[in-house]
Amino acid sequence: MTRSEQAIFTNMCMIYNEDYILVQDRQNLDWPGITFPGGHVEYGESFVESVKREVFEETGLIIENPILCGVKQFQTKQNQRYVVLFFKTN
């Protein structure tokens, strides 16, 4: 039995300011709807740096001190582990 497997790491970040929360209304046919900014972790990139980069790429905002607040994982049809790291910041 092997202890290694293929994995895909992604992130999302809830950005809040008092009573407001930033969301995106995705128009992508593969994955439409309301979501938080985020994306894939690049090879060799830290989880925190990846969420900062993704938020900047998608919103133009520079965030500091994102806090990890949740993790979700599932198996893909190609039998890869798909991991979503949930962060929050204000």
Side-chain angles (χ1 to χ4, degrees):
M1 181 171 129
T2 181
R3 292 184 181 250
S4 64
E5 63 182 310
Q6 289 189 345
I8 300 169
F9 291 98
T10 63
N11 59 57
M12 293 180 140
C13 189
M14 180 180 74
I15 302 168
Y16 60 94
N17 184 4
E18 296 180 16
D19 293 336
Y20 297 95
I21 297 175
L22 177 69
V23 296
Q24 295 177 311
D25 185 6
R26 289 178 50 99
Q27 303 298 311
N28 187 324
L29 296 178
D30 293 336
W31 186 40
I34 303 297
T35 189
F36 297 122
H40 285 84
V41 178
E42 301 295 335
Y43 179 80
E45 186 176 41
S46 78
F47 296 146
V48 170
E49 289 304 315
S50 73
V51 75
K52 288 179 177 182
R53 176 185 53 77
E54 285 290 349
V55 166
F56 180 74
E57 287 177 2
E58 295 187 3
T59 69
L61 295 174
I62 297 172
I63 63 169
E64 297 179 7
N65 304 316
I67 299 167
L68 182 65
C69 58
V71 178
K72 176 172 177 49
Q73 68 89 37
F74 56 90
Q75 294 299 122
T76 68
K77 292 179 181 176
Q78 295 76 33
N79 206 28
Q80 300 164 309
R81 185 179 301 259
Y82 196 99
V83 180
V84 185
L85 304 163
F86 295 99
F87 290 87
K88 66 179 181 177
T89 192
N90 60 4

